[in-house]
Amino acid sequence: DAGVFLDFVYTGTMSTLALGRVRYGVMLREDGFVMDDGAVTRLGPERFVLTTTTANAGKVMQHLEFTRQVTRPELDVSLASVSEQWAQFSIAGPRALEIVERLLDPQYRNCFPASLPPQSYLVASVGNGVPARLFRISYSGERALEIADSSRGRVLAERQRVEAPVRASAASFRRSSRRNRTVLLSYWLAPARSYLWRVADGRTRRL
């Protein structure tokens, strides 16, 4: 029910948004007053990502949780804040496309920018494998884009002058469990079905 839920909190219709497309929206409080604005991107049939104004990110999350639990409890919706996992910034100006193309890893340069029409997004990677999403949603001109990348952990590590964390893998979980003699639990959430993995004694088991 994610699309129906977004139709309720935004003035525009988000449930009709096509996969890979982006739509600007104005969010209202339960009393009808304007609360925030931002972009809604459809990542999957029942999966969306929202951007908000920076100062209101926490308040918007509270408002969405209130709406889910109190105003529309009958809807089957899950919410997760990813503000700590993704950093997003704009690149605008006559050389925006050229600069962004240089940031992308080589395997994504051939399909850019032809595969990125206005109001859409592209899954890519930057900085030698850092997962990224490239959005063409800026409203300051035709040659304007936004990049969201998941390198926050690496940035924080560089500021603290420590070694950047390595991307987790099943093998690294098994090594950590064996070395520390602990049981690790890993979750994978999806619209249709979710999974839980248990890692102990160097072995992985799906529950």
Side-chain angles (χ1 to χ4, degrees), residues 35-97:
M35 179 180 183
D36 198 73
D37 69 335
V40 177
T41 305
R42 192 163 204 158
L43 305 180
E46 292 293 338
R47 187 165 173 247
F48 298 79
V49 63
L50 320 179
T51 60
T52 68
T53 54
T54 304
N56 275 345
K59 293 180 180 179
V60 167
M61 189 64 191
Q62 291 177 347
H63 172 64
L64 295 176
E65 279 289 359
F66 176 84
T67 303
R68 182 181 71 87
Q69 296 180 38
V70 179
T71 313
R72 299 300 303 270
E74 76 281 5
L75 298 180
D76 184 9
V77 178
S78 298
L79 304 172
S81 173
V82 294
S83 297
E84 294 298 318
Q85 285 73 41
W86 294 82
Q88 188 155 331
F89 53 94
S90 299
I91 299 178
R95 298 183 60 191
L97 300 182

Side-chain angles (χ1 to χ4, degrees), residues 71-157:
T71 313
R72 299 300 303 270
E74 76 281 5
L75 298 180
D76 184 9
V77 178
S78 298
L79 304 172
S81 173
V82 294
S83 297
E84 294 298 318
Q85 285 73 41
W86 294 82
Q88 188 155 331
F89 53 94
S90 299
I91 299 178
R95 298 183 60 191
L97 300 182
E98 174 188 342
I99 292 172
V100 169
E101 188 172 14
R102 291 206 306 265
L103 293 174
L104 294 174
D105 286 342
Q107 65 269 32
Y108 294 101
R109 293 175 185 169
N110 293 335
C111 60
F112 172 82
S115 60
L116 193 66
Q119 300 302 103
S120 67
Y121 94 103
L122 175 71
V123 175
S125 65
V126 297
N128 296 321
V130 177
R133 296 173 183 146
L134 182 59
F135 300 86
R136 199 162 182 177
I137 58 175
S138 292
Y139 301 98
S140 55
E142 178 63 24
R143 295 190 176 184
L145 305 104
E146 292 189 12
I147 294 179
D149 75 80
S150 59
S151 63
R152 181 173 174 82
R154 185 173 64 180
V155 172
L156 294 176

